[in-house]
Structure formats: structure tokens, C-alpha cells
Amino acid sequence: MLALTRSYAAPQGEPETPTRDRLSPTRRTHQEEGPDVRLDGKVAIITGGASGMGRVAGTMFAREGARVVLADVSEEAAESAAAEVRAAGGDATAVAADVSREDDARRMVEQAVATYGRVDCLYNNAGIMPAADHSVVDTDVDTWDRVMAVNVRG
């Protein structure tokens, strides 16, 4: 579920310190309790972050201390999910992005770095199941290509 990657950091600026007591008064930091709080102070991009598992992951990541970038094809839905995280005390921003488009994916990462200074992890959650993709026997090529572009490459 969580894909840890090398950190992408902006070249300038001081390293940021983990924020405490976000979303839960019982949240712990690495220094207090050990390595089970893996996301404290990290910056995470969550694709498909406006609904379903992505929306839940945004809240969970923030509860663990991550600053989250919720990416979704629907800007309005991504903003709603980010507002929900912020209302609960977390740190979140939204970005509209179609992960099947290279320019959108690049802009998503650039916005995360511009907002938080780096990217530490990526949860590739975005996925589609269009009605036209109902059988390998009769799914048309355009539908197949779109599903592969989002679900596999995205």
C-alpha cells in the first residue's frame, strides 16, 4: 500500500521538523516510541486521494504526522478531501491531476515540492473501472488503453 521512495527535496531551505499532536492527542513520534510511526514529518502524495481508499489514506497518513498531497482528476473532490484532513488538524493540499498524463504527474510532484519542500513517499492509489471494461473478450482498444494508462502506468 505504501511505496517508499527516495526523497525529492527542494535544493534550498532548512529541513523541517515533524509536527506533533496532529489529528490525535495520542500520536507518537519516532523519538518517543520507536520506528512504528513511519510517516511522522514525511511528505506523501496520494493519487486518487479524493475518494474511497485514497481519501481514507489521506486521513490516516496525516494522523501519523505526514503532510499529504491529495491528487485526483476532480479538483473539487481533491479540495474537499484536503479540507477534511485540515479540519481534523492535519496538513494537506490538493492538486488536480490525471495520473495517466505525464505533464499532470510531473506537475503533481512539482506542486508537492513547491508546497512542502520535498516528497518522501507516494501511494499510487488511483484506478478506474469504466463500464466499457467489462470483459477481456469485448473491451475495445481505447477503453483498454485508458485503463492501463491509469491503473498500471499512472
Side-chain angles (χ1 to χ4, degrees), residues 58-129:
T59 300
M60 292 174 66
F61 280 37
R63 186 178 301 127
E64 289 294 321
R67 292 168 289 168
V68 296
V69 177
L70 299 171
D72 201 87
V73 292
S74 168
E75 184 173 12
E76 183 178 322
E79 288 290 350
S80 171
E84 186 177 290
V85 170
R86 289 189 300 268
D91 192 349
T93 190
V95 60
D98 177 342
V99 296
S100 71
R101 297 180 179 186
E102 184 178 351
D103 289 344
D104 281 11
R106 181 175 285 115
R107 186 176 41 75
M108 173 183 69
V109 172
E110 288 170 353
Q111 183 172 330
V113 172
T115 303
Y116 296 117
R118 66 179 195 268
V119 174
D120 299 302
C121 62
L122 172 64
Y123 174 16
N124 284 320
N125 173 72
I128 60 171
M129 291 177 48

Side-chain angles (χ1 to χ4, degrees), residues 41-66:
K42 302 293 184 186
V43 176
I45 297 174
I46 302 172
T47 67
S51 63
M53 293 185 331
R55 192 174 190 120
V56 171
T59 300
M60 292 174 66
F61 280 37
R63 186 178 301 127
E64 289 294 321

